Amino acid sequence: MNLFTGKRTRSVLRALVVAAAATALASPATSATAAPAAIPPGLSCHTGKHAVDEYTGYALCRNNGSQTQTFWVHLVCGWAPDVDGNRVTLRPGESGQSTAHCGKIGTGIGEIHVRP
């Protein structure tokens, strides 16, 4: 007799599937519009998703301070591993952009942060 053919086994499997689905639906969803982490002092930044590819995120920053600063974008990618973008160094008054790309296996960008 096959392990999965008995009525009791099917009932247990069905209960496990229902419980897993209920847990997944009860979990809070994250949104790319979630508030980004605090932007490092001296930088003014705009973050967002690429207009054509919603798995690509960016941070466009301007150094309003008096010292050189380095920053990068950090993407929280749902089921795929989180990723960091290229490091960008800006002198006072300069602007630059860091981009990163979430893996397609995931659910897309959940949050976008700027890291010093």
Side-chain angles (χ1 to χ4, degrees), residues 1-2 4-5 9 11 20 22 25 34 49 53-57 63 70 72 86 109 114:
M1 180 171 172
N2 187 332
F4 296 106
T5 58
T9 302
S11 295
L25 292 174
K49 291 182 187 179
D53 179 8
E54 62 184 43
Y55 284 81
T56 300
N63 183 351
T70 299
W72 63 91
N86 55 307
I109 299 171
V114 178

Side-chain angles (χ1 to χ4, degrees), residues 40-86:
L43 292 177
S44 62
C45 300
H46 173 74
T47 61
K49 291 182 187 179
H50 190 276
V52 177
D53 179 8
E54 62 184 43
Y55 284 81
T56 300
Y58 65 87
L60 176 61
C61 297
R62 177 176 173 79
N63 183 351
N64 294 323
S66 59
Q67 298 178 358
T68 299
Q69 294 202 48
T70 299
F71 76 95
W72 63 91
V73 68
H74 174 80
L75 303 180
V76 177
C77 296
W79 292 346
D82 296 350
V83 292
D84 288 332
N86 55 307

